[in-house]
Amino acid sequence: MNRLTERTAVITGAASGIGAASAVRLAAEGAAVVLADIADERGAALAQEIQDGGGRAAFVRCDVSSEQDWYHLRERAHRLFGSVDIVHSNAFTHTYGPAHKLSPGDWDRDIAVNLKAPYLAVRTFLGDLRATRGSFVATSSVHALCSLPGYPAYAAAKGGMCALIRQLAVEYGPDVRFNSVLPGPVLTENWQDVDEEGRLLSARATALGRLGRPEEVAAAVAFLASDDASYITGTNLTVDGGWAVKKESK
Ligand code: NAD
């Protein structure tokens, strides 16, 4: 498929997992991709890999909680590929623990990386997205819908992100479409500390009986970014193998 030829996409958290799969997929569909992350080596290596495969790609260091880094990112993206048509806001951080044990500093950092970042992304790229009648996709999470102990700031940010997406769709339509994906358990670097038993438990909690692959979320991102989703805005799309709908009861 070449749904994104002539377009430029910025993807945050693109050095790993879902962001990396999104960068690879959007590039495979014809977009020039700007990979933004704080993991310099991995991000630069993936950009090189995409280039070696014939794609157009560049890595730009960007801490998504920093307003200054966003402006730098826009400047670099413009210089490299011209104006931006697609933004995939995907980077995240998470401090584990119940609310009373989370320090105010941890709370602030989690909210800044997970929720302030998409707002900064919009401030930075709204002009581009309006001019190109572009598409904005955020990575939220099933934690916006269902609760597991130990995720207060993360869940609050991801829930806020879904509300923010609806708000932005209304605010900036008809020029720009805003949507999000809500992944369930998807096997990425993020799962490296989860043992086999924990993985099996999560797999069994889905209707499809398995963990997801980052490429399966990237496929949904590419769809929402493309004209195939031209009448879809303000949607928060669950990509979770049925995790959020499965319940067990005797
Ligand atoms: P990952 O750990 O594989 O990748 C996250 C990337 O974000 C890393 O490359 C990291 O360097 C980057 N990052 C962290 N802080 C950053 C910052 N301040 N600025 C820029 N980049 C930063 O994670 P993943 O599993 O691919 O998660 C991607 C998205 O999917 C996140 O938004 C996450 O909340 C969401 N998600 C993942 C799962 C899952 O099971 N993997 C489930 C639900 C939601």
Side-chain angles (χ1 to χ4, degrees):
M1 275 191 278
N2 272 322
R3 294 184 293 191
L4 305 175
T5 312
E6 311 275 311
R7 303 201 192 164
T8 296
V10 167
I11 304 113
T12 71
S16 172
I18 291 167
S22 167
V24 168
R25 175 68 187 249
L26 299 184
E29 295 225 21
V33 289
V34 181
L35 286 69
D37 205 297
I38 49 175
D40 304 76
E41 271 182 35
R42 291 183 61 158
L46 181 60
Q48 187 61 53
E49 213 178 286
I50 293 171
Q51 280 182 30
D52 292 345
R56 292 175 298 149
F59 172 74
V60 178
R61 183 185 170 79
C62 172
D63 176 343
V64 295
S65 64
S66 156
E67 189 178 1
Q68 209 179 339
D69 280 13
W70 277 100
Y71 285 118
H72 176 240
L73 178 61
R74 181 178 61 184
E75 204 184 296
R76 287 290 312 280
H78 281 183
R79 237 184 292 139
L80 287 159
F81 302 120
S83 60
V84 169
D85 308 76
I86 297 160
V87 175
H88 180 194
S89 175
N90 168 81
F92 89 111
T93 191
H94 163 236
T95 313
Y96 188 82
H100 71 284
K101 290 197 174 157
L102 219 61
S103 74
D106 289 338
W107 175 274
D108 286 348
R109 192 181 57 254
D110 281 9
I111 298 296
V113 173
N114 297 326
L115 186 56
K116 187 179 174 192
Y119 147 77
L120 290 175
V122 169
R123 268 180 71 81
T124 308
F125 284 110
L126 183 65
D128 286 56
L129 293 174
R130 273 183 159 155
T132 58
R133 294 187 78 82
S135 172
F136 185 101
V137 184
T139 307
S140 177
S141 166
V142 286
H143 285 258
L145 307 173
C146 304
S147 302
L148 293 175
Y151 294 84
Y154 180 77
K158 294 298 189 178
M161 195 187 261
C162 290
L164 179 63
I165 284 296
R166 289 191 290 269
Q167 174 69 28
L168 296 169
V170 169
E171 198 95 56
Y172 301 121
D175 295 340
V176 187
R177 293 184 300 105
F178 287 86
N179 295 289
S180 81
V181 288
L182 281 63
V186 175
L187 195 55
T188 64
E189 295 290 317
N190 190 22
W191 281 69
Q192 64 193 5
D193 296 334
V194 181
D195 62 17
E196 200 49 38
E197 197 189 334
R199 291 179 187 197
L200 266 173
L201 205 68
S202 290
R204 285 200 197 110
T206 68
L208 295 182
R210 64 174 176 86
L211 301 181
R213 291 180 285 111
E215 293 77 14
E216 294 177 300
V217 182
V221 172
F223 164 67
L224 290 171
S226 78
D227 292 344
D228 281 348
S230 54
Y231 202 51
I232 301 178
T233 193
T235 288
N236 295 302
L237 176 65
T238 308
V239 186
D240 70 340
W243 184 91
V245 294
K246 184 170 176 184
K247 298 283 169 290
E248 282 181 355
S249 178
K250 290 200 175 163

